[in-house]
Amino acid sequence: MNSPCSAWLFVAPALVVLGVFFLLPVLAALVLSLTDYDLYALADIRNLRFVGLGNYWELLHRPLFWSALGHTVYFVAAGVPLSMGASLGAAMLLNSPLARCKPLLRTALFAPVVTTVVAVAVIWRYLFNTRYGMTNYMLDLVGIQPVDWLGDPHWAMPTIIAFAVWKNFGYNMIIFLAGLQAIPPELYEAARIDGASAWRQFRHITLPMLKPTMLMVGILTVSGYFQLFAEPYVMTEGGPLQSTVSVLYLMYDEGFKWWNLGSASAVAFLLFLIMFAVTALMLRLSRRGDEP
C-alpha cells in the first residue's frame, strides 16, 4: 500500500465524523434558511416552501434583529478588551517570580472556566439582587443607593459583561501564560542592564513578543463573545425590555420558541458572515501592522 493511500485511510474515520456531524448539518441549515420551514412544515412536509433569500431580507428589515445585533456588538466591544486585559494581567501575575503558591493560584483563577454556567449564574443573581444582594449591601455601606442590576435596561448588559469576563478570562490566561513563558529571559536581563523600567520592558518586549498570541486570543475571544447566549438566557431571559437579547438568543427564540426554523437558520448564517468579516478584518490589520 503506497503512502498517500495509507494517509487517507488513517484520516478517513475523522473525515467521516466531520462530514456527518459538521458538514451535513451546516448544509442542511443552509438549505433550511432558504425555506419557510416552520411548525406546519414539521407536521407535513408538503407545507414547506422555497423562499430563496426571503428570510434574510425579512431579518434585515426587522428592528429586533438590529437591536439584538447592537446588543451583541456592545457585548463584544466592551467584553473582549476587559477579558483580554484581565487574562493578560493574571498571566503576568502567575509568571512573576514574586508570586507564591502558583499552582494553587492558577487553579483558582482557572476554576470559573470549568464551572457550570447555570450554577455560577444563580450565585451571581443572588450577589446582584436588588433587595438582599451582596453588591448593593456593599454600596449601601458607602452611602450609594441600591441599583437594580438585572432589572434596569441600563445596567443589565454591563452586569452580564462582568459575569462573562469573570467566567471566561481564565482560558485566555493559560494561553497568555504559555506565551509569556516562551519569551527569552535574556531580553529582560539586557533591558534591566540598560536601565529600562518595568513599563518600558512591558511595552517594548512583552507586547511585541506576545503579538501572535494576542492575535489568536483576540480572534478566539471575539468569536466566542459574538455567540452570546447562555449568560442572558440564564440571568435575564433576554430582559428587561429585550435589552439583553443577542443575535444567538434571537436565533434560539425563532427556532425553539416560535418554531420558525428557516428564519432561525438565516440568523445563524448572518451571524457567521458577521464573525467571518470581523475575523478577516483583524487578520488584515495584523498583517498591515507587520509591514515595515
Side-chain angles (χ1 to χ4, degrees):
M1 185 178 294
N2 55 27
S3 179
C5 291
S6 301
W8 282 109
L9 184 62
F10 280 114
V11 301
L15 293 178
V16 170
V17 172
L18 288 175
V20 172
F21 295 102
F22 177 75
L23 185 59
L24 286 181
V26 169
L27 293 177
L30 179 60
V31 173
L32 281 182
S33 71
L34 303 176
T35 68
D36 65 345
Y37 194 84
D38 55 10
L39 189 60
Y40 299 103
L42 191 62
D44 188 350
I45 195 63
R46 290 175 297 180
N47 294 322
L48 180 66
R49 295 180 303 170
F50 179 79
V51 296
L53 300 178
N55 288 325
Y56 296 92
W57 183 258
E58 181 182 349
L59 283 172
L60 294 177
H61 289 79
R62 189 175 176 186
L64 183 57
F65 171 77
W66 292 106
S67 175
L69 181 60
H71 299 155
T72 305
V73 171
Y74 171 37
F75 180 79
V76 172
V80 170
L82 289 174
S83 180
M84 292 184 63
S87 302
L88 181 57
M92 294 183 66
L93 174 65
L94 291 174
N95 195 53
S96 173
L98 302 178
R100 297 292 181 266
C101 302
K102 290 184 179 182
L104 178 61
L105 188 58
R106 183 168 57 246
T107 303
L109 292 175
F110 187 76
V113 178
V114 295
T115 307
T116 306
V117 175
V118 176
V120 294
V122 171
I123 296 175
W124 272 68
R125 290 185 67 174
Y126 277 108
L127 289 175
F128 286 91
N129 187 275
T130 305
R131 297 179 58 185
Y132 46 83
M134 180 63 69
T135 305
N136 278 339
Y137 175 76
M138 299 299 293
L139 292 178
D140 185 62
L141 293 179
V142 295
I144 300 178
Q145 292 296 322
V147 177
D148 190 2
W149 297 101
L150 297 175
D152 188 335
H154 299 291
W155 287 106
M157 185 58 81
T159 305
I160 290 177
I161 291 173
F163 170 67
V165 169
W166 172 84
K167 178 73 174 64
N168 300 309
F169 84 96
Y171 182 81
N172 292 337
M173 175 194 72
I174 298 299
I175 300 177
F176 276 130
L177 182 60
L180 288 171
Q181 292 175 348
I183 300 177
E186 294 82 5
L187 298 178
Y188 293 105
E189 294 177 4
R192 282 192 294 268
I193 293 174
D194 290 339
S197 62
W199 166 248
R200 286 184 171 273
Q201 293 178 41
F202 174 76
R203 180 181 176 185
H204 297 289
I205 298 177
T206 305
L207 287 182
M209 296 296 291
L210 281 181
K211 188 175 181 180
T213 305
M214 294 184 70
L215 176 62
M216 183 190 71
V217 170
I219 291 175
L220 292 176
T221 307
V222 167
S223 300
Y225 275 41
F226 261 113
Q227 301 176 62
L228 169 67
F229 172 73
E231 292 84 356
Y233 178 77
V234 175
M235 298 185 69
T236 63
E237 297 183 355
L241 302 176
Q242 297 182 329
S243 61
T244 57
V245 172
S246 64
V247 176
L248 209 59
Y249 196 101
L250 176 63
M251 183 193 74
Y252 170 82
D253 269 356
E254 287 291 311
F256 298 100
K257 184 177 181 180
W258 307 115
W259 290 98
N260 294 322
L261 298 179
S263 178
S265 300
V267 173
F269 278 96
L270 283 177
L271 180 61
F272 165 75
L273 291 177
I274 294 171
M275 293 170 56
F276 181 83
V278 173
T279 303
L281 178 62
M282 293 175 64
L283 291 172
R284 184 172 182 178
L285 292 176
S286 175
R287 295 192 187 98
R288 182 177 297 179
D290 292 337
E291 294 176 358

